[in-house]
Amino acid sequence: MKTENWSKVSEILLDCLEVETSERQTYLDNLNLSPKIREEVEKYLAFEENVEGSLNFSAVEFSQGFFDDELSESSAIGQSFGVYRVVQELGYGGMGAVYLAERTDGKFSQRVALKLLKREMNTAALRRRFQQEREILASLEHPNIARLLDAGTTEDKIPYIAMEYIEGLPIDDFCNKQNLDLSQRLELFRKVCAAVDFAHRNLIVHRDLKPSNILVNEDGNPKLLDFGISKILSSEFEQLSSATVTKLGVMTPSYASPEQLQNKSVTTATDIYSLGVILFELLSGHRPFETKEKDLKEIYKAVIETDPPLPSSVVNTISKSFDKKVQAKTEIKQDISELSTIIHNFEPKTAPHNSRHTIPSKVNFNSNSLRGDLDNIVLKALRKEPERRYSSAENLSEDIERYQKGLPITARPNTFSYRAEKFFKRNKASAIAGTLILLAIIGGIGATLWQARVAQAERVKAEKRFNDVRNLANSFLFKLAPKIEKLPGATAAREELVSLALEYLNSLSNEADDDLELQRELAAAYEKVGDVQGNQMTSNLGDTQGAAESYEKALQIRQKLYEKNPNDLTVMSDLASSYGKYAEIQRQVGTSERVTEYFQKSLDLREEIAERNPNDFESRKNLAIAVRAKGLMLYSDAKYKEAVEYYRRAGDIYEKLLLEQPENSEVHENFAYMFIDIGEAQGWDDDLKAAEISLKKGVDLLTPLAEKNPNNQNLQRSLMLAYMKKGASTIDTENYEKAIKEYIKGVEISENILKADPQNFRAMWDVIKMEKHLADATAYSGKAQESINILTKTIGKAEEISKGDRNNPKNLYEIANIRFKMGEAYYEMKDYESALKTFEKSKQEFQTVIDLDPKYRYAIRTIYLSTISIADAYAALAEKRNDTDLYRKSIENYQSALKGFTQMKSEGKLAEYDNQLFTQIETGINKVQSKMKK
């Protein structure tokens, strides 16, 4: 459409919108319009009938059809202007376009925003304005202002300028997307103030400050765009015989100052007002008069006459919706006004700020954070009278800095004192009389109020301290501790964090033991302390007894909370966690009486929660953990087939969860590890082929996941354990060299984990276990002496680190087991004397473990294995020395082992895999008896 046609159309449109819909056709008939003009008017009036579809565009987007095809996006793409080649269009308007361009002279790589004057706009007057813009931009060398990089003219004498290309977000979008807190927003805003102050000191007023003209890059550095543009264009608009609404094209109403809207003299105070609006929006999530922005007259009136609200009074509120039909009219009016501007002016698409169609995001702080000083700072910047605002952007920034440092600010609150001063000047006599009466009243009640204030202040102070300490403790527990839990080297830091949190919460508990939520937080603190002390599922300090005590305290608190709130799903979930962790730690320290009962209680609660909340992701994930824990218990009791059933059930849950969240590494890890658990149980159940398939699948799933998450220590450990169990299965198939390779991989991972976190007790034992298995495979491969060398170093490490926890049966079992493996290596070397001594000592150590935990099935099994090995060693020595007494001792030990395994079988604690031991014992006895007869 031609410019002169649009001027006529826009004027008629504005008039038509004031006419009732039913009367508009008659109104148009009376105007005797040309068919072309009539067609255009009716076309844009039709947008009111389809507001949902038509008003979702910004004015710039909406206006693109008004321009000639020669300004289409593809018109300049690929063309070169000086040393720059156009890549894509960023925006265009009536005067020209802005393109993204790349430098092509090869000196260096550079992308710029290339502003090119429209060919038909290439007049002497506009070229002078272009030159003026170049000069202004060239004078603004500041880190927070987009820089002028180059300038020139095309072969057709069309001027262009190359500016710094900013990749970023408008400042309000950046704050919301990055979820910046109050302090970070203020620091970012102060950088903007510094840039504005620099321009003011260079005698340049921006006149159109708004978030879309302030882009923030990924480094958090703000850049101001289009400095001086509005000043250049303002004189051009003043030459046009257009209405005030057209003059609004050089500014944005929501951010314009009262003097701008009144067409008064514009000074640096104008930019101060716009900064005040931006600060208001950054702090509250709203603009001062955003509810009026739907109607141009209303926003005019509000900016000029109405005092803005306190930012603290609107923070995190949502603007009221308006009637759609009224909204349609007002928005079409504004679009028409903006389109009028675009016909003459250019506002690029690089940073559109269509505030009419956005709903402000909530900020992450509350009104209390803004109340007082920040309210006063913002309101001073937004004073109607320019002289009452901050004298400079620097002064505004300094007042914010004083607020941040806790110093007094210069902003005066626009409340009682200022209004009283005005009233006093108008009514001096009556004001003096009223003041005397008021002073008399104040004197009469002052003492009483003072005492009340003191008491209230103390209560407020105490409550603030209570909440501050509580928030600090919870930050330690629920924000910081989980973030570092899986990181290497974090064990000591985790211990300090949760210990501090526990100390704080304990002190609060004494003050408010009836606060149920506080008791819940206290239980969570005890549980996390227990995790750091001795949870074998995560990095820990090896204090299993301390962990048991912490878990017990958490359990006791949660049992009481459950009694008071039996239907609360969160309370139920917490109690299920306590049952599971307390049962597991009791199993570790050898107190086994209620382990099975507590595991079952944990599982029952998890099943009830998942049944009541079937679509909740966390509920189902926790159910899978409890199901697997039940499987581990069955595995410990040698019920391998039943254990596999529970493992498979847990795996099915994890598989469904993984379909919902494919990128969830924790669920992915647990799903993969179910195959390791299944393979291990199948191996003990003598199903070696199935075990090999399951273990291989588990390792294949874990390996790429561990490579993708190298700093996730829990995941790295899962892969290590997978190699360990795969190696054990490989030994069962007598492929010893392959087993050695699997164990070496596991040793490397365990050593890396320990190197990253030297205080991690679990990592210390992991290295020991992996070395023990490597030595075992080495001995089986015929390298007995090499195996002994490994085991000698390993047992020294184990004895050293177990000194701090001598009553831990699991640690003592590992030491006894290492010694037993060493005895087997001596036996392979035919050093029967050393083998016998080593076996007998390991048997004593296994007995110590059983004394601590009479139900420790693996210790019971292995003590009888030691007894068989002792019998074998006596038989070998007897044959070597031809000593009848030694033959007799050999038979005694065989019979002792036979009795022990027979009892285990009768109690259902012997796996089918171990039935071969009866044959081995009988064969040994028969062999010794035949030797004795000779």
Side-chain angles (χ1 to χ4, degrees):
M1 184 193 300
K2 295 182 179 180
T3 301
E4 56 271 21
N5 286 349
W6 172 244
S7 298
K8 182 68 174 176
V9 168
S10 65
E11 180 180 352
I12 297 170
L13 278 173
L14 287 170
D15 292 338
C16 276
L17 289 172
E18 300 299 328
V19 179
E20 288 298 323
T21 306
S22 60
E23 300 175 3
R24 287 179 183 171
Q25 291 301 320
T26 302
Y27 175 81
L28 292 174
D29 291 338
N30 294 332
L31 294 179
N32 296 320
L33 302 174
S34 68
K36 182 67 174 177
I37 296 296
R38 175 70 176 262
E39 178 183 354
E40 293 295 336
V41 170
E42 290 179 339
K43 179 172 67 175
Y44 293 108
L45 283 174
F47 277 97
E48 184 182 8
E49 304 300 325
N50 190 21
V51 65
E52 292 295 328
S54 66
L55 291 182
N56 289 329
F57 301 99
S58 68
V60 174
E61 293 168 317
F62 185 71
S63 67
Q64 291 178 2
F66 290 91
F67 302 117
D68 296 334
D69 291 340
E70 64 191 46
L71 272 178
S72 66
E73 181 176 91
S74 60
S75 62
I77 294 176
Q79 294 187 30
S80 293
F81 298 92
V83 296
Y84 303 103
R85 183 179 63 248
V86 172
V87 176
Q88 69 180 66
E89 182 184 90
L90 297 176
Y92 64 88
M95 284 185 61
V98 176
Y99 299 96
L100 174 62
E102 295 179 339
R103 194 178 185 100
T104 59
D105 60 359
K107 292 183 179 180
F108 52 90
S109 177
Q110 185 181 41
R111 296 199 302 172
V112 301
L114 192 74
K115 289 192 174 186
L116 184 67
L117 191 64
K118 197 173 174 183
R119 188 179 305 277
E120 62 268 31
M121 304 295 288
N122 186 22
T123 65
L126 288 178
R127 282 200 300 272
R128 284 196 299 272
R129 301 191 187 286
F130 226 69
Q131 176 64 27
Q132 186 180 356
E133 179 180 350
R134 286 167 48 180
E135 292 173 358
I136 289 176
L137 291 173
S139 68
L140 295 179
E141 283 289 337
H142 190 276
N144 298 116
I145 298 177
R147 294 180 296 114
L148 174 67
L149 302 176
D150 201 354
T153 56
T154 67
E155 294 179 357
D156 298 331
K157 304 300 181 181
I158 297 175
Y160 67 84
I161 58 175
M163 294 185 62
E164 179 183 5
Y165 174 63
I166 309 298
E167 289 187 283
L169 294 173
I171 188 170
D172 55 343
D173 292 342
F174 180 86
C175 290
N176 293 332
K177 183 177 180 181
Q178 298 296 323
N179 198 25
L180 298 190
D181 60 25
L182 178 59
S183 178
Q184 292 168 325
R185 291 176 186 235
L186 292 175
E187 283 300 319
L188 186 63
F189 181 78
R190 290 187 63 215
K191 291 181 181 180
V192 175
C193 289
V196 174
D197 185 68
F198 176 82
H200 288 175
R201 283 187 277 111
N202 282 271
L203 305 180
I204 297 172
V205 180
H206 192 291
R207 295 190 180 191
D208 195 20
L209 287 173
K210 54 186 176 181
S212 61
N213 277 338
I214 306 170
L215 298 187
V216 185
N217 60 27
E218 61 182 5
D219 294 328
N221 196 38
K223 291 278 188 175
L224 272 64
L225 309 179
D226 291 338
F227 247 115
I229 301 300
S230 60
K231 183 176 182 179
I232 296 169
L233 297 180
S234 62
S235 58
E236 177 187 23
F237 277 100
E238 287 168 3
Q239 294 172 11
L240 298 174
S241 57
S242 54
T244 305
V245 66
T246 307
K247 293 182 182 179
L248 194 59
V250 298
M251 66 187 83
T252 305
S254 299
Y255 301 91
S257 66
E259 62 266 30
Q260 281 180 289
L261 300 183
Q262 293 173 298
N263 201 24
K264 294 181 179 179
S265 175
V266 173
T267 65
T268 56
T270 299
D271 284 350
I272 301 300
Y273 183 96
S274 299
L275 286 173
V277 178
I278 295 170
L279 181 57
F280 190 110
E281 187 171 5
L282 295 185
L283 298 184
S284 70
H286 300 275
R287 289 173 295 282
F289 306 109
E290 68 180 10
T291 59
K292 308 294 185 182
E293 293 172 359
K294 305 299 181 180
D295 188 293
L296 193 58
K297 292 181 179 178
E298 288 294 321
I299 188 66
Y300 252 83
K301 183 176 180 180
V303 172
I304 295 171
E305 301 177 4
T306 307
D307 288 334
L310 297 173
S312 62
S313 68
V314 299
V315 65
N316 283 338
T317 61
I318 301 177
S319 301
K320 297 180 180 178
S321 60
F322 293 86
D323 179 80
K324 285 187 176 180
K325 189 168 183 67
V326 175
Q327 182 179 343
K329 280 190 177 184
T330 55
E331 292 192 356
I332 289 175
K333 284 184 179 181
Q334 288 184 333
D335 278 351
I336 291 171
S337 300
E338 289 182 31
L339 290 172
S340 297
T341 298
I342 292 170
I343 296 297
H344 301 286
N345 184 24
F346 168 70
E347 181 168 339
K349 290 187 292 184
T350 51
H353 189 80
N354 189 8
S355 61
R356 295 173 294 105
H357 304 305
T358 60
I359 297 176
S361 300
K362 286 190 176 182
V363 295
N364 57 2
F365 39 86
N366 57 36
S367 59
N368 291 333
S369 304
L370 308 183
R371 190 170 292 125
D373 285 352
L374 285 178
D375 277 341
N376 292 332
I377 289 173
V378 174
L379 293 186
K380 181 172 181 177
L382 295 176
R383 295 283 191 254
K384 303 299 181 188
E385 308 91 334
E387 67 275 11
R388 296 190 62 238
R389 298 171 201 154
Y390 286 96
S391 59
S392 68
E394 181 181 22
N395 289 343
L396 170 57
S397 177
E398 287 174 349
D399 230 11
I400 293 173
E401 183 181 21
R402 279 190 286 271
Y403 160 79
Q404 291 175 309
K405 292 181 177 180
L407 299 174
I409 63 170
T410 62
R412 289 180 59 194
N414 186 25
T415 54
F416 178 80
S417 61
Y418 179 68
R419 291 197 301 271
E421 178 184 349
K422 293 289 186 181
F423 178 84
F424 187 84
K425 288 180 179 179
R426 292 195 305 270
N427 306 278
K428 185 175 294 186
S430 58
I432 292 174
T435 301
L436 293 175
I437 296 171
L438 179 61
L439 289 174
I441 295 172
I442 292 174
I445 63 174
T448 303
L449 290 178
W450 181 79
Q451 291 291 343
R453 271 193 217 101
V454 169
Q456 176 65 18
E458 290 302 316
R459 282 196 298 272
V460 171
K461 189 184 298 183
E463 289 175 4
K464 185 177 185 302
R465 174 200 165 275
F466 186 93
N467 290 327
D468 286 347
V469 173
R470 184 172 180 173
N471 291 336
L472 178 63
N474 284 326
S475 294
F476 288 164
L477 286 176
F478 304 115
K479 292 182 180 179
L480 299 179
K483 287 183 179 179
I484 67 173
E485 181 175 331
K486 297 177 183 178
L487 298 178
T491 305
R494 286 176 58 221
E495 179 193 23
E496 187 170 353
L497 279 177
V498 296
S499 296
L500 282 171
L502 182 58
E503 181 181 340
Y504 291 147
L505 290 173
N506 265 325
S507 67
L508 297 182
S509 177
N510 296 330
E511 300 177 28
D513 57 0
D514 59 340
D515 187 332
L516 297 183
E517 187 62 26
L518 179 60
Q519 293 301 310
R520 181 172 173 267
E521 294 164 5
L522 185 61
Y526 276 123
E527 183 174 88
K528 289 187 177 293
V529 169
D531 288 344
V532 179
Q533 289 171 320
N535 185 351
Q536 67 171 357
M537 301 305 293
T538 185
S539 59
N540 64 79
L541 301 171
D543 183 8
T544 50
Q545 192 61 46
E549 293 173 0
S550 295
Y551 286 147
E552 184 175 14
K553 290 177 181 177
L555 177 60
Q556 290 172 350
I557 294 172
R558 286 171 171 173
Q559 285 174 327
K560 292 178 182 178
L561 292 174
Y562 180 68
E563 290 172 2
K564 297 178 180 179
N565 303 276
N567 294 316
D568 189 310
L569 291 180
T570 301
V571 173
M572 291 172 64
S573 179
D574 290 343
L575 182 58
S577 176
S578 279
Y579 276 135
K581 290 192 174 183
Y582 187 63
E584 177 59 33
I585 203 69
Q586 289 300 316
R587 189 174 70 83
Q588 289 183 51
V589 300
T591 308
S592 308
E593 289 79 6
R594 306 189 69 179
V595 169
T596 302
E597 174 192 351
Y598 281 177
F599 271 126
Q600 188 60 49
K601 284 186 174 183
S602 177
L603 179 56
D604 290 345
L605 285 169
R606 291 298 184 196
E607 287 178 331
E608 182 180 350
I609 294 168
E611 183 178 349
R612 289 173 55 183
N613 206 4
N615 296 320
D616 183 67
F617 189 90
E618 287 298 317
S619 297
R620 288 176 288 152
K621 185 180 76 172
N622 289 329
L623 174 60
I625 294 171
V627 170
R628 183 200 177 220
K630 181 64 181 291
L632 288 171
M633 280 301 303
L634 293 166
Y635 170 84
S636 299
D637 291 336
K639 298 177 181 178
Y640 302 119
K641 286 185 172 60
E642 293 179 54
V644 168
E645 292 178 5
Y646 277 88
Y647 291 152
R648 291 193 190 282
R649 181 186 169 193
D652 290 342
I653 298 173
Y654 282 128
E655 186 173 20
K656 292 176 182 177
L657 294 175
L658 197 57
L659 290 174
E660 295 177 25
Q661 295 186 11
E663 300 301 318
N664 191 314
S665 61
E666 180 186 0
V667 172
H668 198 164
E669 174 190 356
N670 289 335
F671 171 68
Y673 202 81
M674 285 301 95
F675 292 100
I676 304 300
D677 282 339
I678 291 168
E680 183 181 32
Q682 290 170 330
W684 278 97
D685 202 35
D686 208 21
D687 190 353
L688 299 183
K689 186 174 181 180
E692 183 179 5
I693 294 172
S694 297
L695 289 165
K696 182 179 184 303
K697 186 168 184 179
V699 170
D700 290 346
L701 288 170
L702 283 169
T703 301
L705 191 61
E707 290 174 353
K708 187 178 178 181
N709 300 274
N711 292 323
N712 186 328
Q713 298 303 287
N714 286 350
L715 181 53
Q716 297 299 318
R717 182 175 186 264
S718 291
L719 181 59
M720 177 210 74
L721 293 175
Y723 282 129
M724 182 177 74
K725 294 175 181 181
K726 188 179 179 186
S729 177
T730 307
I731 284 181
D732 290 337
T733 63
E734 299 184 358
N735 191 341
Y736 304 125
E737 292 300 328
K738 183 178 178 182
I740 288 174
K741 291 179 181 179
E742 302 289 352
Y743 287 138
I744 288 175
K745 293 176 183 177
V747 169
E748 289 176 353
I749 296 174
S750 66
E751 289 177 340
N752 288 336
I753 294 174
L754 180 60
K755 184 178 179 181
D757 193 357
Q759 296 183 355
N760 185 346
F761 192 81
R762 181 185 70 173
M764 299 176 194
W765 277 109
D766 284 344
V767 171
I768 289 169
K769 291 175 188 177
M770 288 306 311
E771 289 178 346
K772 178 192 72 174
H773 285 286
L774 176 61
D776 197 25
T778 303
Y780 279 121
S781 69
K783 303 172 186 176
Q785 185 58 57
E786 184 177 339
S787 174
I788 290 173
N789 293 340
I790 296 172
L791 291 170
T792 301
K793 294 179 181 178
T794 301
I795 202 167
K797 297 177 186 177
E799 289 177 331
E800 180 64 28
I801 64 176
S802 67
K803 289 179 181 178
D805 198 5
R806 293 299 300 171
N807 293 321
N808 187 326
K810 190 168 184 179
N811 295 346
L812 297 179
Y813 172 81
E814 290 296 337
I815 294 173
N817 202 17
I818 295 169
R819 202 176 307 279
F820 175 70
K821 296 296 181 182
M822 189 180 294
E824 288 185 324
Y826 280 124
Y827 191 90
E828 289 295 320
M829 292 175 64
K830 302 186 185 308
D831 184 353
Y832 302 122
E833 290 88 350
S834 297
L836 180 60
K837 291 178 182 178
T838 307
F839 285 137
E840 286 179 334
K841 187 170 183 180
S842 72
K843 183 177 180 179
Q844 293 172 2
E845 291 170 335
F846 283 126
Q847 186 59 55
T848 302
V849 173
I850 295 169
D851 291 341
L852 290 170
D853 184 4
K855 296 185 179 181
Y856 202 139
R857 192 185 70 82
Y858 289 110
I860 296 171
R861 175 183 181 273
T862 317
I863 199 173
Y864 296 138
L865 289 178
S866 297
T867 306
I868 294 175
S869 296
I870 290 171
D872 290 340
Y874 270 124
L877 280 174
E879 184 176 1
K880 182 178 179 180
R881 299 175 185 175
N882 194 22
D883 189 329
T884 303
D885 288 338
L886 294 179
Y887 277 129
R888 191 177 297 110
K889 289 182 179 180
S890 175
I891 291 176
E892 290 173 357
N893 279 280
Y894 279 134
Q895 291 173 338
S896 176
L898 181 61
K899 181 180 178 181
F901 281 124
T902 300
Q903 182 178 348
M904 286 186 70
K905 187 173 183 178
S906 67
E907 294 174 352
K909 296 181 178 179
L910 196 67
E912 292 181 14
Y913 177 83
D914 283 334
N915 284 330
Q916 61 183 329
L917 294 172
F918 292 101
T919 302
Q920 179 182 340
I921 293 171
E922 291 174 2
T923 300
I925 291 175
N926 292 334
K927 184 177 179 181
V928 170
Q929 287 176 340
S930 66
K931 293 284 186 181
M932 290 178 68
K933 291 178 181 178
K934 295 180 180 179

